[in-house]
Amino acid sequence: MLKALSNEGYTTPTPIQEQAIPIILQHKDLLGCAQTGTGKTAAFAIPLLQLMHEHQQAAPESRRTIKALILTPTRELAIQIEESFRAYGKYIDLKHLVIYGGVSQYTQVNALRRGVDILVATPGRLLDLMNQNHISLRDIKFFVLDEADRMLDMGFVHDVKRIITQLPTRRQTLFFSATMPPAISKL
């Protein structure tokens, strides 16, 4: 992963990365608040890749199941996050997929059938594929709610609550947000 980060030009962590990464590597839940453009995606993607790679090395599995779910409000942000996972995890054998609505689900479902370790999703498409039994969240070890404030502003709170009820109770939960309205703290 260090080679991939070097390829991306990363040399010094931003404040959110410097504070969040050690906490995440200790398997602790985190509520991180930092302005847009400060490196929040790397603050969770880098340690998640590290933890998942270590787990994979210690207990190789024959069948891939979704172990990390990153939930985000928009297709554009979901695509950016998946691109970050691809860049940072370039030399690690973890499969990742981005799913969002507004396009045919055919290729997304086929990729899910082949096996995925990390799923980046928008709430609507995730719930749709869960309702069709294409996605199970029973093996999730890491749950990230990115842009939590925007999720609530855009009216996704009920979808997020429905998704959270389907997650295992034993998991690491990471919320990242640019602002911290009371509704996020309550969630």
Side-chain angles (χ1 to χ4, degrees), residues 123-181:
R125 179 53 60 100
L126 176 62
L127 286 168
D128 186 30
L129 294 179
M130 286 170 60
N131 290 335
Q132 296 177 50
N133 294 318
H134 292 300
I135 293 178
S136 167
L137 302 180
R138 70 177 171 266
D139 296 321
I140 296 292
K141 305 223 180 315
F142 307 99
F143 172 58
V144 179
L145 184 63
D146 192 34
E147 299 292 338
D149 53 348
R150 287 181 57 198
M151 295 283 269
L152 298 178
D153 287 345
M154 296 171 73
F156 288 119
V157 68
H158 298 297
D159 289 346
V160 171
K161 285 181 179 180
R162 284 177 50 208
I163 292 163
I164 288 174
T165 65
Q166 300 301 308
L167 296 172
T169 54
R170 294 199 56 166
R171 67 176 186 273
Q172 187 173 6
T173 301
L174 312 171
F175 281 14
F176 282 87
S177 186
T179 62
M180 200 53 61

Side-chain angles (χ1 to χ4, degrees), residues 63-119:
R63 187 174 170 284
R64 291 185 189 269
T65 59
I66 302 167
K67 290 169 209 65
L69 171 63
I70 296 86
L71 201 58
T72 192
T74 66
R75 162 196 328 212
E76 295 78 18
L77 190 53
I79 291 168
Q80 287 176 7
I81 292 169
E82 193 273 336
E83 288 171 349
S84 294
F85 272 97
R86 183 181 319 125
Y88 309 148
K90 184 177 186 175
Y91 304 107
I92 298 173
D93 182 31
L94 292 169
K95 303 285 185 203
H96 39 84
L97 175 67
V98 59
I99 62 169
Y100 49 82
V103 297
S104 169
Q105 71 180 34
Y106 179 80
T107 56
Q108 295 173 358
V109 169
N110 283 339
L112 287 164
R113 286 184 182 138
R114 288 190 298 274
V116 172
D117 299 298
I118 302 165
L119 182 65

